[in-house]
Amino acid sequence: MPVVLKEFRVSTRGFTDIIDVTDKVRAALSESGIKSGLATVCVAGSTAGISTIEYESGVVRDLKDAIERIAPSNIPYNHDMRWGDGNGFSHVRAALVGSSFCVPFDSGHLVLGTWQQIVLLDFDNRPRDRRVFVQIVGE
Ligand code: ZN
């Protein structure tokens, strides 16, 4: 069974920057030539996540606010005391969201809802250039 690994890069502003990467995943799928199977979208790094939302400014704002309530940026973190890089909240947020999202596809189309997009969330406390991988398994 064919397995293809594709990669794309995304420049982010950090600080829970939420970016729609659905079209980039679709492009990777199309380039792979595989028609039906499973795609895993994965970001490299311990301060970013991959998830799915309805990518609309209200939901994006609501998600950012919820993340701020769950893992606030203005409280002490042990990581910052040890390393001093100030991104303890970024690591915790990334762990809670998870670094990958798995989506089936059939006849070349991702199995997603009409109002469902795949998003990269960058939680770091500075701009980053992220490497996102799409591993496509199918036939
Ligand atoms: Zn760190």
Side-chain angles (χ1 to χ4, degrees):
M1 181 165 284
V3 180
V4 174
L5 184 67
K6 293 283 181 184
E7 178 186 346
F8 59 84
R9 284 176 180 267
V10 183
S11 292
T12 81
R13 293 168 299 175
F15 297 99
T16 311
D17 197 5
I18 301 177
I19 296 166
D20 181 0
V21 296
T22 314
D23 285 346
K24 290 183 183 245
V25 175
R26 285 207 174 96
L29 187 60
S30 161
E31 285 166 22
S32 78
I34 299 174
K35 295 298 171 200
S36 293
L38 194 61
T40 303
V41 185
C42 178
V43 60
S46 61
T47 54
I50 300 281
S51 190
T52 177
I53 62 166
E54 178 181 343
Y55 196 82
E56 138 331 268
S57 60
V59 179
V60 169
R61 185 71 250 173
D62 290 336
L63 181 58
K64 285 185 186 190
D65 291 348
I67 288 166
E68 183 61 38
R69 288 191 296 272
I70 292 164
S73 53
N74 61 352
I75 61 170
Y77 286 85
N78 292 290
H79 177 67
D80 299 335
M81 286 173 227
R82 279 184 66 96
W83 293 95
D85 55 1
N87 66 354
F89 68 96
S90 317
H91 292 287
V92 172
R93 291 172 181 195
L96 293 174
V97 167
S99 64
S100 67
F101 176 73
C102 221
V103 58
F105 60 97
D106 192 49
S107 304
H109 298 289
L110 294 172
V111 179
L112 291 172
T114 308
W115 309 109
Q116 182 183 15
Q117 282 77 39
I118 302 167
V119 290
L120 165 69
L121 302 94
D122 198 323
F123 300 114
D124 215 343
N125 59 352
R126 60 189 173 90
R128 298 289 303 259
D129 181 32
R130 293 293 185 180
R131 300 173 73 192
V132 179
F133 297 90
V134 186
Q135 189 178 53
I136 300 150
V137 180
E139 55 191 18

